[in-house]
Amino acid sequence: MTLTLTTDAFRDQHGDPATWTAATLDSYQVIGEIAPPPPPPYIHREMQAEAEAWQASAAGQQRLADELAAKGHTIAAGIHRRGAQDARQHAEAARLGWPAYEAFLNGW
């Protein structure tokens, strides 16, 4: 069995980067130069577009919730308020880029 040394495998082996020594950081940087991680599947511009779409969804759901609440439909309004809140959370994560968005989606 051949083990491939990657930056992900290095982090798995050495734990939290906040606890690394200077030598550990240097080793990690060298590995990153030899075997850099693959690029994220979505670039920054695409993630910003995703964030805008989620923000638009949140605004639409919030408008609908307000209209329903004004008509006395409190249960339906609450459902759409929660949907708007969820969409805002997705937008916030997407604004930070793919790694943060992926972590949000996976509940990390």
Side-chain angles (χ1 to χ4, degrees), residues 8-25:
D8 289 338
F10 188 90
R11 280 193 308 270
D12 289 345
Q13 182 181 10
H14 293 279
D16 184 7
T19 64
W20 292 357
T21 65
T24 307
L25 285 171

Side-chain angles (χ1 to χ4, degrees), residues 2-14 20 27-38:
T2 303
L3 296 176
T4 303
L5 188 57
T6 65
T7 53
D8 289 338
F10 188 90
R11 280 193 308 270
D12 289 345
Q13 182 181 10
H14 293 279
W20 292 357
S27 296
Y28 181 72
Q29 289 173 343
V30 168
I31 291 167
E33 292 170 3
I34 295 170

Side-chain angles (χ1 to χ4, degrees), residues 34-47:
I34 295 170
Y42 300 100
I43 61 174
H44 181 73
R45 182 182 58 232
E46 292 170 325
M47 290 310 301

